[in-house]
Amino acid sequence: MTALGKLVRTTAFKLMAVYLLVFTLFAAGLLGYFFWNAERLLGAQINSSIDSEIAALADEYNQGGIVRLVSAIERRSRQPGSLLYLLITPESDALAGNVSSLPDDVFDKSGWNEVPYTRYNDASAQNRTALVRVFALQDGYKLLVGLDLEEQHRVRAIMATASLWSAGFIVILGVAGGWFVTRRVLHRLDDINETSRSIVEGDLSRRLAVAGTNDEIDRLATTTNTMLDRIQELMVGLKEVSDNIAHDLKTPLTRLRNRAEEALRASKTEEDYREALEKTIEESDRLIGTFNALLMIARAEAGQIETAMSEFDAAEVAHGVAELYEPVAEERGVVLVVEAPARIIVRGNRELIGQAVANLVDNALKHGTTGEKPEVRVSAASAGGLVRIAVADTGEGIAPQDRDRVLERFVRLEASRSRPGSGLGLSLAAAVAKLHGGALRLEDNAPGLRVVLELPDRPAAT
Amino acid sequence: MRILIVEDDREAASYLLKAFTETGHVADHAADGLDAYAMAKDGPYDVLVVDRMLPKLDGLTLIERLRAESFDTPVLILSALGDVDDRVKGLRAGGDDYLPKPYSFAELLARVEVLARRRPGRTEETVYRVGDLELDRLSHVVRRGGAEIDVQPREFRLLEYLMKNAGQVVTRTMLLENVWDYHFDPGTNVIDVHVSRLRSKVDKGFDKPLLHTVRGAGYMIRDGAR
């Protein structure tokens, strides 16, 4: 593709061409109007001066007859830059005036005529034209009054040249400006294209150049860059997740396989086989549970749970979940307290919020019961347009630098690695909060951890 | 009991047929929605197990059609779409129970048996009896051997559900759904803790246990002689 061909095909060039065309048409129209008006004015001026001359001479004639007319013509002819006069007798002989030659038929025409003429005593001027009018006097005398058009022609030529020059100048300026703009825009778009191509080819770290002019291209580039940041973030997340999945699912899968192998190798009695199979089933159930949790998180994060949201009482959920876990707490010697005195009507997915709260309580009972008098406190309260369902424990808490990390999938802090769990509980709770337009906050319970599921009173319609 | 399995996946279907036959039931198979419709109308089935994704006529439409013709055999919906709103849609279409894939056969069997043995009269009984254990649904009193047992409201509901399905295996998930109305995975085995608490109240001090654990499946309340 030639550079020119490429240029012609660009949007910028097409736009430029259209602008130029419109601009040129406009300029031409303006110049034309100006030209035409000037012509009209000049013409009118000539006509009126000839007419008034004729009227004046007619006056002389009326007052003093042909003699006086002749003397008036003579007098006027002698003045420099005078009009053209010619008085002829009925026999077509020149009687007075300053015109030596005229076309023969001029006296037979009426109205305005443009004719070539030669001035009396003027050898130099050839091919001059004049605008003339013939006025018939009584007794067959005819008076011709005219005006040399040289001046008008010169003015017209000057105007035409000026118009042409300015038109040419406009076009050149337009083309040059357009070319410059187009080149510049093209250049930037080419940059964008080139960068995009390398991004498509897999170099996600590249970003589009931002010129800092904050024009459309800049804004486009900035938006695209933000999008790329997000994509990169997602890709990194995806990679992490798949690594984690690979790691976290590999472990139970390996265990599963080893158990089965061991059963084949070592089982003697039917009872042994039975037990091995039961363990296998338990293990695969755990795997399925992990998968389900992952799917649920993915869906919640993608905002794909289109369940009809319903209105329900968040306090009831807090009580219900606490009540569900209460025997577990008792077994572990933990005091489980619920603080949800009032009804708090929330609009959302009861199922998911219940699951999220259950995860938080489950976590608190698993990891937050190391204190002297372990206590887990579930509370639900509404304040300032926010509904806060909090689960607080008296355990070791989570160091501030780790708080963001534990929300990620499969992240299990070293201290808890030995305890059961998939590492998905908090991620799911966070995803559920996000789905409802809220957030999950980890706070210091001093001692212990407080996890707050914050939901807007009127969740964003997702 | 007679079960109609509506499932387009041949392997899954043959696994189910085999499993139901081995557990002493009679099972037929339909591979698409239209066949299933015809078979359901003809055959005297106690329960239908219907997959959601079917050729020719999808599961939900099939159930809606049957229900529109006052076909009242219980239907259990199987679905790979283990999502919250899928269950809602399934039950709205006229399903009686819903089980997301992958499921354990024990879970499916327990649910199918409970569905098929739904005794309409049972819900009208005011007193459930199993052996010498009785539960009065009106006065909320539980007695064993004539002595009153003190139970929490939730324990009462748990026992009520078990006794309503006496002689049937009920799974942990079924208990969670029917007693707590939760349809999520509680992570820890909280249900076991609740049941063992209830057991300590109901069976402790009696030489004949009534509340049994069925390994790999769930729980069952029954009088020893069965």
Side-chain angles (χ1 to χ4, degrees), chain A residues 17-51:
Chain A
V18 169
Y19 275 128
L20 191 64
L21 186 71
V22 169
F23 191 54
T24 309
L25 280 175
F26 179 73
L30 199 68
L31 284 170
Y33 175 76
F34 166 72
F35 200 90
W36 173 75
N37 243 346
E39 278 277 285
R40 209 172 47 94
L41 270 170
L42 275 172
Q45 212 181 346
I46 290 169
N47 292 358
S48 72
S49 60
I50 290 176
D51 276 344

Side-chain angles (χ1 to χ4, degrees), chain A residues 420-453:
Chain A
S422 62
L424 291 172
L426 277 176
S427 315
L428 183 74
V432 169
K434 202 168 142 190
L435 178 73
H436 286 82
L440 192 75
R441 303 194 188 289
L442 272 58
E443 297 168 358
D444 193 353
N445 195 33
L449 177 71
R450 186 188 309 119
V451 187
V452 184
L453 185 68

Side-chain angles (χ1 to χ4, degrees), chain A residues 84-127:
Chain A
L84 305 172
Y85 305 96
L86 189 58
L87 179 67
I88 58 168
T89 62
E91 294 78 35
S92 302
D93 295 327
L95 194 63
N98 51 8
V99 184
S100 62
S101 79
L102 272 169
D104 294 337
D105 58 355
V106 71
F107 283 98
D108 304 334
K109 290 182 182 162
S110 60
W112 300 99
N113 286 298
E114 260 185 59
V115 291
Y117 77 100
T118 316
R119 218 181 169 101
Y120 204 67
N121 295 340
D122 183 7
S124 71
Q126 288 297 317
N127 316 326

